């Protein structure tokens, strides 16, 4: 594929994914690679430009991540960010020094060269996001300072002749007011990109590539109804039609009517050409979950049973050539570059490759960020209700029912959750909230209904705002909404006499209850 591309060389910065995202938001394809990527490989990839990310190290430390001088001799434009800017300065003959105090947070920058391509059209001073202790004390030969702050003599420098640019701050984070404009100037005006990264061209070229690769082969996909596996399935269906079989395991732990909704889209009455197998396995899962109340044990049971059911279906289908997985780019970056290790043991189909007979895995979304997966889904005609869905954990309601799971508890939580979601939508709050759902505490308490004593369950409403799901704040929902939901739940859902709102943030709580 001859698509224009920017290589983001990762030196260990926490914002490496963001840099690639910002470039792609400008309509230019970007890939993140470890800083050890060889010059030969870089040459083969024909990048229009390279961006060095930030990183926690100091260029003078003996083991700090570095790059060979060859990189600066390829004639490829380079933008250095934070550590990347210091590395560029250091490698090209400038001086990097450690400041007595760090410069951190929102910082006012004064532009010294308004004619510089990165600063074009940006009024001085402007606010940027700084996070550094080392700084460039003297720029390398051929460079000049294009901006400074009170504490940092080189907030930005450039060498237009060689198309080398560097900024001490982080243009990729939102707090840098003109950051995106600067990235845009780099990719368009310095690297000469034309902006050929669009979802329709991705969809079109993926379909072509998948068709060429698969030929007459048989393809199997574990469809969960979640965004990633749904988009992957539709792409494959457009590419190879009935050579694709999707197995949808309904484990009885989905939200109300969700199984039917998935079937309406992917089943025989839906618009897509594929073989759809729905396995109604609720009974099996409830049976296995009997007596299990410890969260990790429940997760394990659900994960294992899922694989079991899938395996049985796969054996009925017989040998297949390809197994589809809905891996997306953040998963690739997190597991491939090995810098951060934060993820909890999530239920997914990671165990499948060992037990299903197939030749190769296909991961059609492995280069897409979540918002791009959504854009591709809309491009492919998937309903926006499915594409814009909130995250839903693999073990489903199994981790939203504290303690032992029973069919009765599943019914309660499904109904309460449906009411909660309906009322949030009716109040027009859907778009502004991170994630919201009803869960079931394992608590039963005394109440009074009519003239009778009740001894019923307490439903927990959970609603959080979050940007990355690693941390979250409890949302301050309007009281009228909470009381309406409460009144509907206690009146309409049998077995509930109390509704509680979870006001805890993450940390110390997690978003799900288990
Ligand atoms: P926690 O509960 O860890 O959840 O704060 C963070 C985000 O991850 C989702 N989540 C899961 N997603 N499989 C998934 O695919 C899982 O096992 C799982 N557990 C939690 C959760 O809904 C939230 O968005």
């Amino acid at each position: 594929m001859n698509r224009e591309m920017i290589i983001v060389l990762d030196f260990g910065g926490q914002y490496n994914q963001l840099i690639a995202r910002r470039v792609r938001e400008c309509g230019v394809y970007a890939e993140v690679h470890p800083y050890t990527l060889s010059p030969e490989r870089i040459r083969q990839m024909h990048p229009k430009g390279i961006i060095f990310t930030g990183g926690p190290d100091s260029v003078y430390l003996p083991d700090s991540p570095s790059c060979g001088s060859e990189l600066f001799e390829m004639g490829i434009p380079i933008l250095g960010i934070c550590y990347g800017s210091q590395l560029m300065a250091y490698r090209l003959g400038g001086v990097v020094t450690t400041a007595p105090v760090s410069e951190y947070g929102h910082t006012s920058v004064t532009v010294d060269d308004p004619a510089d391509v990165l600063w074009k059209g940006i009024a001085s001073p402007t606010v940027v996001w700084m996070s550094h202790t080392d700084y460039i004390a003297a720029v390398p030969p051929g460079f000049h300072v294009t901006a400074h702050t009170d504490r940092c003599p080189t907030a930005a420098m450039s060498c237009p002749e060689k198309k080398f640019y560097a900024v001490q701050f982080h243009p990729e984070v939102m707090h840098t007011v003109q950051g995106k404009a600067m990235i845009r100037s780099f990719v368009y005006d310095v690297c000469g990109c034309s902006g050929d990264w669009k979802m329709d061209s991705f969809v079109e070229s993926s379909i072509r590539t998948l068709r060429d690769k698969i030929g007459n082969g048989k393809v199997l996909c574990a469809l969960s109804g979640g965004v990633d596996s749904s988009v992957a399935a539709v792409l494959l269906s457009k590419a190879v039609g009935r050579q694709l079989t999707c197995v949808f395991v309904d484990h009885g732990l989905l939200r109300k009517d969700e199984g039917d909704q998935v079937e309406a889209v992917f089943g025989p009455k839906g618009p897509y050409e594929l073989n759809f197998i729905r396995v109604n396995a609720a009974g099996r899962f409830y049976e296995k979950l009997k007596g299990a109340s410890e969260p990790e044990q429940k997760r394990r049971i659900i994960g294992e049973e899922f694989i079991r059911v899938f395996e049985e279906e796969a054996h009925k289908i017989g040998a297949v050539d390809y197994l589809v997985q809905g891996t997306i780019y953040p998963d690739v970056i997190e597991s491939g570059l090995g810098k951060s290790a934060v993820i909890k043991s999530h239920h997914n189909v990671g165990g499948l490759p060992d037990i299903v007979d197939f030749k190769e895995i296909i991961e059609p979304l492995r280069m897409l960020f979540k918002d791009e997966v959504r854009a591709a889904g809309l491009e492919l005609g998937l309903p926006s209700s499915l594409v814009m869905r909130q995250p839903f954990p693999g073990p489903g309601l199994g981790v939203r029912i504290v303690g032992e799971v029973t069919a009765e508890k599943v019914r309660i939580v499904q109904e309460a959750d449906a009411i909660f979601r309906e009322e949030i939508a009716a109040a027009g709050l859907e778009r502004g909230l991170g994630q919201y759902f009803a869960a079931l505490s394992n608590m039963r308490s005394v109440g009074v209904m009519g003239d009778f004593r009740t001894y019923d369950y307490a439903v927990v409403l959970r609603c959080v705002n979050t940007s990355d799901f690693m941390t979250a704040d409890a949302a301050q929902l309007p009281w009228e909404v909470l009381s309406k939901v409460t009144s509907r739940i206690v009146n309409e859902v049998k077995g509930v006499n109390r509704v509680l709102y979870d006001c805890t943030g993450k940390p110390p709580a997690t978003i799900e209850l288990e």
Side-chain angles (χ1 to χ4, degrees):
M1 221 179 295
N2 297 322
R3 190 190 292 134
E4 294 171 344
M5 107 124 100
I6 299 287
I7 292 179
V8 176
L9 272 194
D10 177 23
F11 288 93
Q14 47 180 325
Y15 305 125
N16 56 19
Q17 290 200 28
L18 264 188
I19 299 172
R21 284 187 61 146
R22 294 288 170 263
V23 174
R24 290 195 193 181
E25 281 165 16
C26 296
V28 176
Y29 183 68
E31 278 185 12
V32 184
H33 289 275
Y35 69 91
T36 48
L37 190 69
S38 72
E40 301 81 70
R41 185 73 194 103
I42 292 178
R43 226 177 259 116
Q44 287 162 3
M45 293 163 86
H46 300 295
K48 299 284 277 184
I50 299 175
I51 299 180
F52 291 179
T53 73
D57 295 273
S58 178
V59 288
Y60 291 109
L61 291 175
D63 293 330
S64 59
S66 189
C67 61
S69 45
E70 240 184 297
L71 221 61
F72 298 105
E73 287 150 20
M74 291 180 176
I76 302 172
I78 301 178
L79 170 65
I81 293 177
C82 195
Y83 177 81
S85 74
Q86 295 159 14
L87 183 69
M88 181 186 282
Y90 175 60
R91 297 299 318 229
L92 295 175
V95 179
V96 176
T97 309
T98 301
V101 278
S102 303
E103 192 176 33
Y104 184 80
H106 293 100
T107 309
S108 175
V109 155
T110 304
V111 180
D112 298 306
D113 181 3
D116 184 77
V117 64
L118 289 197
W119 294 107
K120 180 186 64 176
I122 297 176
S124 176
T126 183
V127 171
V128 301
W129 183 259
M130 284 288 192
S131 175
H132 69 114
T133 309
D134 284 5
Y135 67 95
I136 301 166
V139 301
F143 279 76
H144 69 284
V145 172
T146 62
H148 70 275
T149 72
D150 288 349
R151 290 215 199 130
C152 180
T154 316
M157 64 173 189
S158 68
C159 173
E161 192 197 329
K162 296 202 159 156
K163 301 195 175 183
F164 293 159
Y165 292 81
V167 289
Q168 180 55 70
F169 51 88
H170 289 272
E172 70 277 23
V173 303
M174 291 300 182
H175 315 294
T176 297
V177 180
Q178 298 289 349
K180 196 162 164 193
M182 299 184 85
I183 289 176
R184 171 172 276 275
S185 298
F186 177 70
V187 297
Y188 283 95
D189 302 336
V190 178
C191 303
C193 293
S194 63
D196 63 359
W197 174 242
K198 298 192 179 66
M199 268 312 128
D200 51 353
S201 55
F202 166 81
V203 164
E204 215 175 278
S205 67
S206 298
I207 291 174
R208 228 178 305 123
T209 315
L210 288 167
R211 228 174 247 159
D212 290 346
K213 183 185 177 78
I214 295 166
N216 295 322
K218 261 167 111 179
V219 187
L220 179 62
C221 173
L223 181 69
S224 70
V227 183
D228 304 341
S229 68
S230 297
V231 174
V234 176
L235 256 185
L236 262 303
S237 136
K238 298 259 183 193
V240 298
R242 293 204 174 271
Q243 287 161 248
L244 168 70
T245 301
C246 287
V247 175
F248 167 52
V249 177
D250 183 346
H251 50 26
L253 300 164
L254 296 169
R255 285 168 289 199
K256 192 176 178 196
D257 300 331
E258 203 169 9
D260 296 342
Q261 285 159 8
V262 173
E263 185 168 346
V265 175
F266 292 99
K269 293 195 182 129
Y272 300 110
E273 199 190 341
L274 53 92
N275 300 308
F276 176 78
I277 298 174
R278 174 174 177 175
V279 192
N280 291 317
R284 276 177 73 155
F285 279 82
Y286 297 163
E287 189 57 35
K288 288 278 173 190
L289 284 165
K290 239 183 212 163
S293 55
E294 201 276 316
E296 280 301 305
Q297 188 197 7
K298 284 162 62 182
R299 276 176 181 273
R300 229 177 5 257
I301 292 171
I302 297 167
E304 279 171 18
E305 195 59 14
F306 178 87
I307 290 175
R308 213 63 356 103
V309 175
F310 188 81
E311 187 181 23
E312 286 170 22
E313 292 307 314
H315 283 155
K316 284 186 209 157
I317 297 165
V320 293
D321 301 285
Y322 301 97
L323 181 73
V324 182
Q325 299 219 289
T327 318
I328 68 170
Y329 203 40
D331 309 334
V332 175
I333 296 180
E334 269 156 19
S335 53
L337 303 183
K339 282 282 172 194
S340 49
V342 241
I343 316 140
K344 73 195 249 188
S345 72
H346 280 180
H347 160 103
N348 56 29
V349 290
L352 292 178
D354 293 340
I355 51 111
V356 178
D357 195 11
F358 70 99
K359 281 195 221 138
E360 211 183 307
I361 293 183
I362 297 186
E363 297 174 312
L365 311 177
R366 71 178 272 119
M367 286 306 174
L368 298 192
F369 288 108
K370 193 78 177 186
D371 50 342
E372 294 174 322
V373 175
R374 293 203 160 107
L378 292 176
E379 185 65 38
L380 284 159
L382 276 166
S384 79
S385 55
L386 196 157
V387 169
M388 295 312 195
R389 252 172 63 140
Q390 298 184 37
F392 186 63
L397 302 180
V399 291
R400 291 185 181 171
I401 293 171
V402 177
E404 188 183 9
V405 174
T406 64
E408 168 71 355
K409 287 183 181 172
V410 170
R411 177 197 58 81
I412 290 177
V413 83
Q414 278 179 338
E415 288 179 13
D417 181 67
I419 290 172
F420 190 28
R421 284 190 288 136
E422 233 174 86
E423 291 302 329
I424 291 276
L429 296 172
E430 263 171 324
R431 293 259 168 243
L433 301 168
Q435 194 173 2
Y436 50 93
F437 55 86
L440 192 63
S441 78
N442 208 15
M443 179 187 99
R444 291 172 81 196
S445 64
V446 175
V448 54
M449 202 166 250
D451 288 332
F452 296 98
R453 174 188 191 271
T454 57
Y455 186 58
D456 282 334
Y457 284 109
V459 159
V460 176
L461 302 179
R462 183 89 169 120
C463 179
V464 297
N465 284 318
T466 173
S467 56
D468 55 8
F469 297 91
M470 310 295 265
T471 59
D473 292 317
Q476 297 191 19
L477 285 184
W479 188 249
E480 313 83 73
V481 175
L482 284 174
S483 48
K484 175 131 192 243
V485 174
T486 303
S487 144
R488 282 196 58 192
I489 290 177
V490 290
N491 281 295
E492 296 173 35
V493 185
K494 196 165 163 284
V496 181
N497 66 357
R498 213 171 273 270
V499 176
L500 311 172
Y501 187 63
D502 185 346
C503 301
T504 333
K506 171 184 178 176
T510 53
I511 296 174
E512 303 292 346
L513 267 64
E514 289 191 339

